[in-house]
Amino acid sequence: MDFAGKFKVFWELFIERGGWERVLKVGLVNTLLIAVLGLLIGIVLGTLIAAVKVMPKYKLLPRILDKICTVYVGFFRGTPLVVQLLITYYVLWPLMGVTITSLNTSIIVFGLNSAAYVSEIMRGGLLSVDGGQMEAGRALGLSYGTTMLKIVIPQAIKNILPTLGNEFIALIKDTSVVSFIAAIDLTKTFTEIGNVRYEYFMPYLAMAVFYIILVFLISCGVKAMERSLRKSDRSH
Amino acid sequence: MIEVIDLCKSFGNLQVLNNITETIHEGEKVVVIGPSGSGKSTFLRCLNCMEDPTSGSIIFEGEDLADMKVDINKHRQNIGMVFQQFNLFNNKTVLENITLAPVHLKKMTPEEAKEKGMELLRRVGLEDKADVYPSTLSGGQKQRAAIVRALAMNPKVILFDEPTSALDPEMVGEVLDVMKQLAAEGMTMVVVTHEMGFAREVADRILFMDGGQIAEQGTPEEVFGNPQHPRTKEFLSKVL
Ligand SMILES: Nc1ncnc2c1ncn2[C@@H]1O[C@H](COP(=O)(O)OP(=O)(O)OP(=O)(O)O)[C@@H](O)[C@H]1O
Ligand SMILES: [Mg+2]
C-alpha cells in the first residue's frame, strides 16, 4: 500500500485546500449542536418523565401519564436510533406535511431519544434524594410541583451530573449516524474529503483520531466536574 | 385550635391509630409520649395530613383537613412541623431555607422575609450561619435552623416529632432551650419526645399513647406523679 501517496492526497485536500475548515466549522459544530441541544431537550423531557415515574399513584391521572411514559421510553429504547431518524425524516414529516431540515430533525430525534435514557438516570437521581426533603417542603405548604422543582430536582441533577456527562459522550458518538438523513456532521465531512478522489483510507483514519481526541477532552471535563462536586460535598 | 374526631389510620392491614378524639387548645403545649410503635409519629403527622387519615376528621380553622377537597397546602402554611432528621433543604443556604416558603407563597416580600429570617436566626444564636449550607452545621444548629424555618411562616401551631432524638447528647439542651423559649412566648405546640424533663417542665398536658390510642392523659403532675394505667406505669418505670 502506498501510504506516502495516500497521505499526500489527504494533506493536500485537508490542509492546503482547506478541508479542515469545513470539518471544524460545519462538521464539528453540527455534531456538538446535535449532542448539546439533544441532551438539553433530553434533560427537560427526561426530567418530566422521571417526575411522573416517581409521582404517588393514587389518582387516575398519574397512572395514565405513567403508562404513556412507559410506552414512550419503551419505543425509544426498543428501536434503533437510525430507524427513529429515518422514520421521522422520511415518514413522519411528510405525513404531517412539514419540512424540517435534516439538522433540526437530528436535534429533535436525538432529544426525544436521549429523553428516554435521561429519564431512567433522572429517576435514579430523584430516588437518591432523601424523602425528608419533599416532606419538609410539603409541610411548609409548598405544592408537590414547587418542592420538586426548587428542592428535589436540583439535588437530583447534582447527584447525576457525572452520569449525564457520560450520556453526553454517548450522544457525541451516536451523532455519526445522522448522515443517514443527509445531515452534515463530523463523519460526513470526512466522507466528503474521501469522495473527492475516492480515497477514504486517510480521511477515515483521521476521523477516528478526531473522535478519540474529542471524547477524551470531554471525559476530562466530566472528570474535573466530578472532582469539584466531590470537593464541594466535603466542604459542606 | 385543632380538633381531632374519631381519627383512625391504617397502613394496609395494620391499624396504627384507633379512634382517637382529642382537642389541642390555643396556646397549649401538648407532649405526646409512649412506647416505640405506639403511633405517636403517625398521630402527629395526621394533624397536618402528612399522613392521610383513613377515617375521622381533623378540624382546623373550621375546615376538615381530612377532606380531600380542602386546600391542604393553605392550611399547612399555618401548621409548622419540625422533624427528627431536621430535613433542611440541602441545596439552599440557611437563610434561603427560611425565606423560600414565605416568599414563594407570597406571605412576605423577599426583603421582609430576609429581615424576619435574620431576626429569628439572631434569636436562636445562628445569625453568623445565615449564608452557609446546612451540611456545614452541627446537628443542634441544624435543628435550631429548622425551627426558625417553621417559625418564619408565622404558624399558629408547631408540631415537633422527636426533635432531639437524632442529636448528640451535648446538643439536646440548645434545642430544648429554643423550644422552651417558644413555649414561654405562648406558641401552641404538640411535641412527641422522649425528653421527660422537658415534658415535665413545659407541658400543659401529657398524652400517653399505647397501641394506637391515647391510653392516659393529664397534667405532668398527674401522669408522672400518679399514673393510672398499668401501661403508663410500666412505660414510665422504664424511661424515668
Ligand atoms: N408509612 C408506613 N407504612 C407502614 N407502616 C407504618 C408506616 N409508618 C408507620 N408505620 C407503622 O405504624 C406503627 C406506628 O408507627 P409510628 O411511627 O407512628 O410509631 P411511634 O410511636 O412514632 O414510634 P417511635 O417512637 O419508634 O417513633 C408502627 O408499627 C410502624 O411500623
Ligand atoms: Mg416516631
Side-chain angles (χ1 to χ4, degrees):
Chain A
M1 223 197 308
D2 175 16
F3 286 113
K6 288 182 193 305
F7 185 77
K8 213 172 131 263
V9 170
F10 179 68
W11 184 264
E12 183 202 327
L13 292 172
F14 192 70
I15 304 291
E16 288 167 7
R17 286 173 54 184
W20 63 272
E21 221 172 318
R22 186 165 164 82
V23 166
L24 291 184
K25 287 188 182 159
V26 180
L28 180 63
V29 165
N30 283 355
T31 288
L32 290 176
L33 216 55
I34 296 167
V36 170
L37 294 180
L39 185 64
L40 283 180
I41 297 173
I43 289 173
V44 173
L45 257 181
T47 304
L48 282 174
I49 295 172
V52 168
K53 289 262 163 203
V54 300
M55 230 185 237
K57 304 269 179 330
Y58 313 120
K59 299 202 187 114
L60 186 61
L61 184 66
R63 279 211 288 271
I64 294 173
L65 288 174
D66 186 74
K67 282 281 172 303
I68 295 172
C69 290
T70 306
V71 171
Y72 179 95
V73 172
F75 174 79
F76 279 97
R77 296 181 65 149
T79 54
L81 183 53
V82 178
V83 172
Q84 293 160 22
L85 277 169
L86 292 173
I87 285 279
T88 307
Y89 193 64
Y90 292 110
V91 178
L92 190 60
W93 293 163
L95 276 179
M96 291 169 62
V98 294
T99 354
I100 294 176
T101 64
S102 52
L103 178 64
N104 288 341
T105 304
S106 303
I107 292 170
I108 293 169
V109 172
F110 270 74
L112 297 178
N113 180 279
S114 90
Y117 290 89
V118 171
S119 73
E120 293 292 307
I121 298 170
M122 183 62 79
R123 189 163 73 117
L126 291 176
L127 293 176
S128 77
V129 176
D130 178 44
Q133 299 285 304
M134 174 59 79
E135 292 219 319
R138 297 308 309 273
L140 284 164
L142 299 170
S143 68
Y144 176 85
T146 303
T147 312
M148 214 51 183
L149 213 59
K150 301 215 159 211
I151 305 300
V152 179
I153 289 175
Q155 292 180 51
I157 289 187
K158 186 181 168 197
N159 292 348
I160 62 169
L161 267 181
T163 323
L164 282 181
N166 293 332
E167 171 69 10
F168 182 60
I169 292 171
L171 278 179
I172 292 268
K173 292 189 287 189
D174 287 346
T175 51
S176 63
V177 301
V178 295
S179 57
F180 272 87
I181 59 169
I184 297 163
D185 71 320
L186 260 185
T187 305
K188 180 68 179 175
T189 51
F190 278 103
T191 303
E192 287 172 353
I193 292 175
N195 286 344
V196 178
R197 301 275 168 82
Y198 299 107
E199 181 52 78
Y200 298 97
F201 183 90
M202 272 310 294
Y204 281 160
L205 192 59
M207 174 178 79
V209 173
F210 201 104
Y211 271 109
I212 288 171
I213 293 172
L214 183 60
V215 167
F216 175 75
L217 289 178
I218 296 170
S219 326
C220 287
V222 171
K223 288 224 180 67
M225 189 176 67
E226 243 175 293
R227 262 197 306 279
S228 79
L229 279 180
R230 263 206 303 277
K231 221 185 283 161
S232 77
D233 271 346
R234 244 179 290 131
S235 76
H236 61 68
Chain B
M1 168 135 306
I2 304 180
E3 210 181 330
V4 179
I5 304 166
D6 292 335
L7 172 65
C8 294
K9 173 68 185 177
S10 308
F11 294 106
N13 290 327
L14 178 72
Q15 179 151 23
V16 176
L17 297 181
N18 197 346
N19 227 24
I20 294 181
T21 297
E22 189 57 65
T23 303
I24 315 286
H25 300 280
E26 186 162 352
E28 200 179 23
K29 289 91 185 102
V30 175
V31 170
V32 184
I33 61 173
S36 182
S38 57
K40 305 181 297 293
S41 296
T42 308
F43 172 66
L44 196 75
R45 292 163 56 80
C46 278
L47 297 182
N48 64 347
C49 290
M50 295 302 284
E51 301 290 352
D52 287 316
T54 306
S55 65
S57 307
I58 312 285
I59 310 292
F60 179 70
E61 305 200 306
E63 286 198 280
D64 182 3
L65 304 188
D67 182 350
M68 293 303 254
K69 286 190 280 293
V70 159
D71 181 2
I72 189 68
N73 292 335
K74 188 186 85 190
H75 288 294
R76 282 183 184 150
Q77 295 179 27
N78 293 318
I79 308 177
M81 189 165 215
V82 173
F83 303 87
Q84 183 175 351
Q85 299 296 337
F86 330 124
N87 297 343
L88 288 172
F89 303 134
N90 297 321
N91 60 327
K92 303 280 176 197
T93 64
V94 170
L95 189 59
E96 286 166 354
N97 261 276
I98 296 162
T99 56
L100 175 79
V103 172
H104 185 83
L105 297 168
K106 308 240 161 24
K107 280 204 146 186
M108 297 171 202
T109 66
E111 295 72 35
E112 286 167 354
K114 251 188 189 165
E115 201 174 313
K116 165 120 190 164
M118 286 308 299
E119 178 205 317
L120 289 169
L121 280 175
R122 246 189 310 281
R123 268 176 48 190
V124 302
L126 287 177
E127 66 270 43
D128 56 329
K129 299 293 183 187
D131 296 319
V132 306
Y133 283 88
S135 52
T136 61
L137 300 180
S138 72
Q141 291 170 333
K142 283 183 192 169
Q143 196 59 299
R144 282 184 280 154
I147 292 172
V148 167
R149 177 174 66 180
L151 279 176
M153 292 293 287
N154 289 323
K156 302 217 163 85
V157 46
I158 304 187
L159 315 174
F160 295 82
D161 191 1
E162 301 202 27
T164 57
S165 294
L167 297 177
D168 292 336
E170 72 269 21
M171 293 173 185
V172 169
E174 65 192 58
V175 170
L176 291 182
D177 285 344
V178 170
M179 292 171 63
K180 286 175 194 167
Q181 193 188 330
L182 263 182
E185 287 162 13
M187 175 62 76
T188 312
M189 297 161 75
V190 184
V191 186
V192 174
T193 187
H194 293 296
E195 293 292 332
M196 296 303 153
F198 174 84
R200 211 189 277 271
E201 186 183 333
V202 174
D204 297 317
R205 199 148 55 96
I206 306 272
L207 305 183
F208 172 75
M209 283 191 70
D210 187 50
Q213 287 179 314
I214 295 171
E216 177 166 357
Q217 62 164 295
T219 64
E221 294 74 34
E222 288 165 355
V223 174
F224 289 122
N226 184 20
Q228 300 299 311
H229 200 284
R231 294 284 292 146
T232 319
K233 288 178 191 164
E234 188 191 330
F235 175 76
L236 289 176
S237 72
K238 277 190 207 140
V239 298
L240 287 181

